[in-house]
Amino acid sequence: MNKNSPEDKILTPINEILGVMPDRPSAEEVMRDLRQAGFPAEAIRLLREEEASEKIVGATGQNAGLGTRIFKFFEQMHTDGAVYLDQYREAGRQGKEVLAIKMESPEQVDLAQQILSRHYAQNVRYFGTWEIKDLSLPRPEEAGRG
C-alpha cells in the first residue's frame, strides 16, 4: 500500500483522491468510515486548515525548491492539476479540512467516492496516472440547479 506520510508535501498526486470537508468532525467521520471499509490508516491523510496550504504545492510551486518550481511551470502547460491543487490550498486557508487518500485499485476509487459523497465532501477528484476525474456529487439541495 502506498503511504501518505504527514511529513510529505503533495506535489503531483498520482493514484490519489483529494476532497474537502467543511470541518474537523466531518473529516474524522469520513476517515473512520474509510478505515471501516478497509482503507489502511497510512493511506489516509488529513490536512488540517493551514496545513493544506503549507503541504500542497500549488500551480507555481509555492513552498517548494527551484526544481519543483520548474516542474510545476511545465506541468501547468500540460494539465489542470496544478490549478486544482491551488483550490485545495485555498480551502485550507478558508479553514476547511482536506483529505488525501491513496488508491490501489479502481474498486477503491469507487468505494472512496461512495463514502465521500455520503458525507457530502466537496471538490472530490481522483488524480490518476493519466487523468484527473471529478468525483463530486451535488448535495441534495443543489441537485437540479443549473
Side-chain angles (χ1 to χ4, degrees), residues 49-145:
E49 302 173 357
E50 282 296 317
E51 183 183 12
S53 182
E54 296 166 10
K55 296 282 184 171
I56 297 173
V57 178
T60 57
Q62 301 94 328
N63 303 328
L66 179 61
T68 300
R69 288 182 188 174
I70 293 168
F71 171 79
K72 285 293 183 179
F73 173 76
F74 287 107
E75 177 186 56
Q76 196 170 7
M77 294 169 56
H78 300 287
T79 179
D80 292 332
V83 174
Y84 294 143
L85 291 179
D86 278 339
Q87 292 173 1
Y88 297 108
R89 288 169 48 83
E90 180 58 30
R93 284 192 289 270
Q94 292 174 2
K96 297 179 181 177
E97 310 282 313
V98 177
L99 280 171
I101 311 152
K102 289 285 188 185
M103 298 289 116
E104 288 290 322
S105 69
E107 294 79 20
Q108 278 191 329
V109 173
D110 293 339
L111 180 57
Q113 179 186 20
Q114 291 170 15
I115 293 168
L116 289 164
S117 65
R118 194 168 53 234
H119 289 278
Y120 304 112
Q122 300 172 340
N123 203 8
V124 178
R125 287 193 178 88
Y126 169 66
F127 293 81
T129 305
W130 305 109
E131 69 176 337
I132 299 171
K133 185 176 179 182
D134 187 354
L135 302 177
S136 298
L137 296 176
R139 289 179 170 259
E141 64 270 12
E142 295 174 357
R145 292 187 191 173

